[in-house]
Amino acid sequence: MSWCGVEGHDEVVDRFRTSLFRGRLASTFLFVGRSGIGKRLFARRLAQALLCEQSEEAKFQPCLACNSCVQIEAESHPDVEVVGKPSDKSFIPIKTFIGDREHRNQEGLCHRISLKPSQGNRRIAIIDDADHLNHEGANCLLKTLEEPPPNAVLILIGTSEQTQLPTIRSRCQTIRFRPLEHSFIQQYLVNQNLATDANQAAELSYLSEGSLDQAIEFSDQALSDFREELWTTIGQDSDIDSVSLAKVVSSFVDGAGKEAPKRRQRLRHVIRLFLMVFRHQLFQTVDAPPPSQGRLEQVASPLSDSLTESVQNRIDRCLLALGEVDANANLATLIECWIDELYASPA
């Protein structure tokens, strides 16, 4: 069911509705789940439900039409603070929370969340990209998370609990969001003309791993063509020249343009393509049904039992590479080392 345009998270909706009905809404939340599944939209709808001028909090059903709801949708409500990591930064700057050097503790989110509400009876802060909180930024937040101002609600949005600093996790109530259903993603792609037919929609849905954003990005024709070439090469798992493969991957990543964020995002997709092949091989090795019978069924050769540990190591190395991308490692060096460690030695 859909709640105010939020798809696939009925359990989370029921949890908040019950908390509000009982008057036991917590003050600090950590929303976790892969990107592109609706966490940000849910946070915005939560803010609208708490500040809606037409609907009571306990009903947890914002009207989406009153002045407050419209302002929150436009990110212009004076009592709702939305912050995140700038595209040109590796972490959320400290000044986001406590102001710049000339205005320490007189500006920033921690100061503004402590002020008296301007319109409603709450102040709400939404901290996007919580995965990119460094120790200094997290330390700036600790006091506010430990002792939130009266009627304040803070929402941090990340991908997993493991990527959060322990000091953050221990002070927030964690809300886990599940990946979206494949059926919803397939229907969305067809309705938005992002897939030419049901078969392509099903393939993109599998590639999405439950993320609508990832499904849309994988619909790109350049990425689709590269996927076919890559899967044909690595799926057979024999006679792979790591140097040549690294050059192919580097060339494709550089084709995203000069902007570093776009190149990093393209490399994330490439790494996930490798992961899909390795996971499919692992399913076949242990005689478990793979999550998809699509294109991978044709290109991924089953491995012998003796290679099970090898493919597990490859999966671990790909996961490490994803973390290195997020840590802003040099892409050329990262690609070379990653591919070399996957294929330089006999599997």
Side-chain angles (χ1 to χ4, degrees):
M1 295 179 63
S2 174
W3 173 75
C4 299
V6 177
E7 297 283 349
H9 303 299
D10 295 344
E11 293 180 2
V12 179
V13 173
D14 290 341
R15 179 174 177 176
F16 273 97
R17 182 173 285 125
T18 299
S19 295
L20 285 167
F21 180 77
R22 295 176 177 175
R24 296 180 179 178
L25 184 71
S27 298
T28 57
F29 297 96
L30 173 62
F31 288 4
V32 295
R34 63 174 299 107
S35 63
I37 60 175
K39 302 188 303 295
R40 295 175 184 84
L41 177 58
F42 190 95
R44 188 162 67 246
R45 292 291 183 262
L46 172 58
Q48 290 171 319
L50 295 178
L51 295 175
C52 182
E53 298 170 2
Q54 301 298 325
S55 179
E56 298 177 5
E57 276 191 6
K59 293 182 178 180
F60 200 54
Q61 190 68 37
C63 72
L64 305 183
C66 68
N67 185 56
S68 287
C69 286
V70 171
Q71 284 183 311
I72 293 171
E73 190 72 25
E75 297 189 1
S76 61
H77 196 290
D79 295 329
V80 180
E81 186 89 6
V82 181
V83 301
K85 181 184 76 67
S87 59
D88 60 340
K89 301 291 184 181
S90 301
F91 298 98
I92 303 177
I94 296 177
K95 67 179 182 181
T96 300
F97 303 113
I98 58 174
D100 57 28
R101 293 184 181 276
E102 289 73 28
H103 304 89
R104 280 288 191 258
N105 300 315
Q106 300 174 26
E107 292 184 354
L109 181 145
C110 294
H111 170 70
R112 289 190 288 271
I113 197 70
S114 67
L115 300 176
K116 183 180 179 180
S118 300
Q119 293 181 190
N121 59 354
R122 291 186 184 275
R123 275 196 173 269
I124 300 169
I126 300 174
I127 303 171
D128 204 354
D129 305 314
D131 293 350
H132 300 281
L133 275 172
N134 59 10
H135 286 281
E136 290 78 9
N139 287 338
C140 294
L141 270 177
L142 291 186
K143 181 174 176 58
T144 301
L145 293 177
E146 286 178 342
E147 301 176 8
N151 294 324
V153 175
L154 290 91
I155 306 166
L156 286 75
I157 302 175
T159 56
S160 71
E161 292 178 85
Q162 290 70 33
T163 57
Q164 311 305 318
L165 295 169
T167 50
I168 295 295
R169 291 200 306 266
S170 63
R171 290 166 173 81
C172 296
Q173 183 178 121
T174 300
I175 307 294
R176 298 175 182 83
F177 287 75
R178 295 180 177 180
L180 297 173
E181 294 289 338
H182 288 315
S183 58
F184 166 74
I185 294 177
Q186 290 179 36
Q187 191 62 51
Y188 180 91
L189 294 173
V190 171
N191 292 343
Q192 298 298 318
N193 296 319
L194 295 171
T196 55
D197 53 39
N199 290 334
Q200 185 187 24
E203 185 76 16
L204 290 172
S205 173
Y206 170 67
L207 293 171
S208 75
E209 300 176 301
S211 166
L212 187 56
D213 288 351
Q214 186 164 306
I216 294 172
E217 290 170 348
F218 269 115
S219 68
D220 176 73
Q221 189 60 50
L223 188 56
S224 178
D225 293 341
F226 179 79
R227 180 178 76 246
E228 285 297 309
E229 178 185 356
L230 178 68
W231 278 3
T232 300
T233 300
I234 68 174
Q236 304 307 313
D237 204 62
S238 62
D239 300 325
I240 294 177
D241 182 344
S242 62
V243 176
S244 297
L245 183 57
K247 290 180 179 179
V248 171
V249 171
S250 294
S251 177
F252 179 68
V253 170
D254 291 340
K258 295 183 179 180
E259 297 180 23
K262 291 184 178 179
R263 295 202 306 274
R264 292 187 183 279
Q265 183 65 359
R266 180 168 279 195
L267 180 53
R268 290 186 188 96
H269 289 326
V270 172
I271 295 172
R272 291 187 179 110
L273 290 174
F274 275 83
L275 272 169
M276 290 175 193
V277 172
F278 298 149
R279 286 169 175 164
H280 196 92
Q281 291 174 329
L282 190 60
F283 274 110
Q284 292 175 320
T285 302
V286 298
D287 293 325
S292 171
Q293 302 293 327
R295 179 65 176 138
L296 276 178
E297 190 72 12
Q298 303 171 22
V299 303
S301 298
L303 300 177
S304 64
D305 291 343
S306 62
L307 296 180
T308 302
E309 182 177 355
S310 174
V311 74
Q312 289 174 333
N313 291 337
R314 287 176 176 177
I315 290 172
D316 289 340
R317 184 60 186 91
C318 288
L319 294 175
L320 177 61
L322 284 174
E324 291 169 339
V325 174
D326 292 338
N328 285 338
N330 179 274
L331 294 188
T333 303
L334 167 56
I335 292 171
E336 182 179 339
C337 294
W338 165 54
I339 298 292
D340 180 68
E341 291 180 24
L342 288 179
Y343 292 108
S345 300

